[in-house]
Amino acid sequence: MSIQLSELVLSTFSKGLHTLSHILDIAEQHASSQGLSADTEYPNARLIEDMNPLTFQIQNATKHIKNTLARLQGQEIQPWENKETTIAELRERIAKAQKLVEEADAKVIDSVAEQPVDLVLGSTTVKSTGKGSVLGHSIPNFFFHVQTAYAILRSKGVPIGKKDYIQSFLAGNFVA
């Protein structure tokens, strides 16, 4: 049995967005339990000074969703303003990306799996297949930013572990 490109893309993105929401829930609970403001402690937190902060990681994870779904559905890629500075605004951004996932046309996505698509890499545009752009670019980048968001929160003392990262991805994957 083969997997359809839409199953891979939509499921992975949706589950990763759930992971981001879940770790933000725990971060807010942790800050509150410590008498701290989550909005002060986390949005600008970084792993190291020359790395981008939590806000950037969530903005870019969601940007990869937006760009990937536009590319696969033959739509023009519209920029999103990166203006989020609070946990609530990051949640809104995650919800906006989740809406795109829910509204995506699986049949259109599946139809371009082996078709050429334009993949913009910085100032260069290269041709790839729909599947190639997803497997070689979109999903690796998405996971990088989701995992980096996790690592930033963990480095700030948020009590999250592998279970918190992986449980959304495991949901619905077990058989009786």
Side-chain angles (χ1 to χ4, degrees):
M1 182 177 153
S2 63
I3 186 168
Q4 295 294 317
L5 185 60
S6 62
E7 290 177 77
L8 175 68
V9 170
L10 301 176
S11 175
T12 299
F13 287 162
S14 183
K15 291 175 178 186
L17 290 169
H18 282 104
T19 291
L20 286 173
S21 292
H22 176 68
I23 63 175
L24 287 178
D25 287 345
I26 296 171
E28 285 186 308
Q29 293 165 8
H30 178 69
S32 178
S33 75
Q34 301 297 308
L36 302 169
S37 164
D39 289 336
T40 302
E41 295 297 312
Y42 306 128
N44 291 313
R46 305 165 185 262
L47 287 177
I48 193 166
E49 283 306 308
D50 67 349
M51 263 187 105
N52 287 306
L54 178 69
T55 52
F56 177 90
Q57 305 309 326
I58 293 175
Q59 289 163 348
N60 276 271
T62 55
K63 179 183 86 173
H64 280 286
I65 291 171
K66 173 187 62 71
N67 291 356
T68 299
L69 295 178
R71 180 183 318 109
L72 295 176
Q73 295 178 96
Q75 301 167 350
E76 185 176 330
I77 295 174
Q78 301 293 328
W80 282 353
E81 191 175 349
N82 293 328
K83 60 182 174 136
E84 296 80 13
T85 60
T86 66
I87 300 297
E89 290 169 345
L90 291 172
R91 287 183 183 287
E92 289 172 16
R93 175 97 175 211
I94 292 167
K96 188 175 175 181
Q98 184 63 44
K99 187 171 191 241
L100 289 179
V101 171
E102 291 166 2
E103 294 175 349
D105 188 330
K107 288 181 181 179
V108 171
I109 292 170
D110 292 337
S111 74
V112 299
E114 300 301 330
Q115 300 302 314
V117 296
D118 289 335
L119 179 59
V120 178
L121 303 172
S123 62
T124 304
T125 300
V126 297
K127 289 284 186 195
S128 184
T129 62
K131 181 173 68 176
S133 72
V134 166
L135 295 175
H137 182 264
S138 301
I139 289 179
N141 274 285
F142 177 70
F143 279 133
F144 175 84
H145 293 294
V146 172
Q147 192 282 327
T148 303
Y150 165 92
I152 289 169
L153 291 174
R154 186 68 193 105
S155 78
K156 293 293 287 181
V158 176
I160 52 179
K162 183 177 181 179
K163 176 184 169 199
D164 298 298
Y165 179 90
I166 206 80
Q167 71 185 2
S168 296
F169 294 101
L170 292 174
N173 289 322
F174 299 111
V175 294

